[in-house]
Amino acid sequence: MKRLLIILFVFTTGVVNAQQETDSVRLLSEVKVQDKRLKTYATGNKLIQINPEVIKNQSYSSFTDLLTRNTSVNIRSYGVSGLSTISFRGSGSNHSAILWEGINLQSPSNGSLDLTLLPVSFVDNVTLQFGGGSTLFGSGALGGAIHIAGSQPEFDNRSTKISLSQQLGSFGNQYTGVNLKYSGKDYEVKLRVFTKKADNDFSFDNRFTLQREKQENADLKQSGVMLEVAYRLKDNHTVQAKYWLQDNLINISKVASAGAPSFATQADYFHRGLILWEMDKGKDAFNMKSAFVLHELIYDNKVNILSNSLTKAWTNEASWDHQFSKYWQLQTGVNHTYESGESDGYGTLIPDRHRTALFTALKGLINNKLETTLALREAYNVGQWSPFLPSLGLHYQPDPKYGIKGKIARSYRIPTFNDLYWATGGNPILLPEKGVNIELGSEQIYELGKVELQNELTIFSNYIHNWIQWIPGSVGIWSPNNVQEVWSRGVEATSQALISLNSESLLRLNGSYQHTNTTKEKTKTQAGQNELGKQLIYVPYHQGNLSLLWNKKLSTIGTKINYTGSQFTTGDNDSKRALDQYTIIDISASQNFSIRNEHSLMIGMEIKNLGNKSYEVRANYPMPGRSFNVNINYQFN
């Protein structure tokens, strides 16, 4: 089965969503992302944009589900309601930047962001950038980055749009979302509200007790509101303000191997605010933004641990774009971020730091075929300069249906507050992690009668120095150290086949495949010598998906197959303790109804994990079996 799937992935790979009519990946055509820096200066990078229609039709889904269904990136999940993070190309979760409107949401305390806490209905655009991106976006983007954003203001005269979404499903799953938009000639107001709850009381076979058990203490409750206001001062001046408030309460279930039940809870509170000013004067464009992010976390195990943490980040950035000619343009800017953190783990210390960076990027088009971008970044962090970060990207397209691209870039990540200041083990003399990323890719489009085939193939290499790892000391206290060098390399393939059956129906066969080999090449500790040359834990060699979608007028039927290869859970790659490979099959169907010209209704149903497969994404954290969801979405325009 494994070899068959791999062969199918190689020859028929790609990405699709089973509830929309437009493709979710753009290969040779321009990727319509909102972030101007990503759109214009990420030459040579592999980019995957999830189509906005896909996001709208999956607004009730978790962000983890959105990525799992539409990409082949590795999602690391501690159970259905537990911590969920992304890993690009074998890197760690703190090597993956999460950028909201260009603002990094990675926690200064632990360097990551829980994807479970991101509501899909609060974003309109999602783009995945693969490979090191520190030159453009700063510390943290060693493996890749997720860019999330709203849509640009439309400024329609007296335009009102309403979207209502409702989902009911297995294990007490309930979601309700409301999106409102009202715009005039020079202003626009958006309001997004959601509430979500789930019991997650699914049954599973416990491989430790050899009994059928029900998941307990895994329920969650979430609610949030986002207000967005945009005002056009003049034809070339726009001011936007956004405020995001969210409340999350998650119960943390026990691991399958634990005997005693868990009563632990985790509460997360967010306040995120952004003010953005843009001015476009033809050849010159100016952009200024100021954002404040506050995250409070309260962990309580109901027995002997009550832990509080509070992190704050204030980011200010200004940039200037200049168009020299039709073929050459330049961006330069400055970014300053202030961060502080309070935690019971830091004792009485309240650490803070100022980070300032200067960046510039020059993009040019040579002979109408070779696009090239040279970018530079230098940052000053806590009294010392970061590594100088250059990058060079190339994209050669001799024909509209064929292209070759490549990139070489340096990247880095500064240590987190936990790494530096944790009272029982923090290491204040840690060095930043540094990486060198190289990638080369090709893109093709073939037209064979009524069949259009799009392919993209990428090979990559990412070598990271001074990798930070927490290891036990001589007295048993764990402490972070720059202990090793890690080399990640591999190949990624995506494809999309569009088959026009007739004037009313379309068939899409899509999928993706990723082979990743990530090994420790050097280590500074004697205890880690037996792990040299071995695959890092929780990095599958093989991962991919297949999708088949049939669409006729307002009806869609689709299926998705997601495959994840076996994963080691120990550094010495003990095969007896590795997680088994698994294949998950989902099916879905939806029907759209047009009510007059202004109203539309979509009713859909999906069955997840059709084969009722027992599997684990993280050791000892069982995932749910077969489940059912009914989705209703109403639109008024």
Side-chain angles (χ1 to χ4, degrees), residues 62 64-65 77-82 169-173 198-205 212-215 218 253 582-586 607-618 620-629:
S62 69
T64 301
D65 282 346
S77 178
Y78 289 85
V80 68
S81 63
S170 302
F171 318 128
N173 180 36
D199 298 329
N200 296 319
D201 54 349
F202 57 91
S203 297
F204 66 97
D205 293 318
R212 187 75 173 171
E213 298 181 7
K214 179 174 286 189
Q215 185 80 298
S253 62
Y582 57 88
T583 302
I584 305 300
I585 302 174
D586 300 336
I607 303 176
K608 301 172 66 175
N609 194 358
L610 181 66
N612 203 29
K613 176 71 174 180
S614 297
Y615 69 104
E616 296 176 355
V617 179
R618 269 291 198 266
N620 305 332
Y621 289 89
M623 299 297 287
R626 186 186 302 113
S627 62
F628 304 85
N629 289 316

Side-chain angles (χ1 to χ4, degrees), residues 341-411:
E342 302 177 40
S343 173
D344 295 338
Y346 307 150
T348 59
L349 180 66
I350 303 179
D352 65 350
R353 61 189 176 197
H354 291 267
R355 300 191 286 122
T356 303
L358 301 174
F359 57 89
T360 187
L362 176 66
K363 176 183 176 180
L365 184 64
I366 302 173
N367 293 330
N368 266 337
K369 295 180 180 181
L370 178 61
E371 179 183 296
T372 177
T373 296
L374 174 65
L376 308 171
R377 190 183 190 95
E378 184 64 276
Y380 189 72
N381 303 314
V382 197
Q384 61 182 359
W385 292 98
S386 71
F388 178 62
L389 301 174
S391 70
L392 176 64
L394 302 171
H395 189 178
Y396 178 64
Q397 192 163 346
D399 184 271
K401 296 182 179 181
Y402 178 74
I404 300 174
K405 60 182 179 180
K407 186 169 186 176
I408 181 169
R410 294 187 67 185
S411 54

Side-chain angles (χ1 to χ4, degrees), residues 21 450 499-506 551-553:
E21 299 183 13
K450 295 184 177 181
I499 306 171
S500 298
L501 301 178
N502 53 52
S503 60
E504 296 182 345
S505 61
L506 182 68
N551 175 266
K552 183 176 181 180
K553 291 186 177 180

Side-chain angles (χ1 to χ4, degrees), residues 1 64 89 121 182 208 335 444 499:
M1 178 67 177
T64 301
R89 297 176 172 176
S121 60
Y182 181 76
F208 296 95
N335 177 291
Q444 307 88 28
I499 306 171

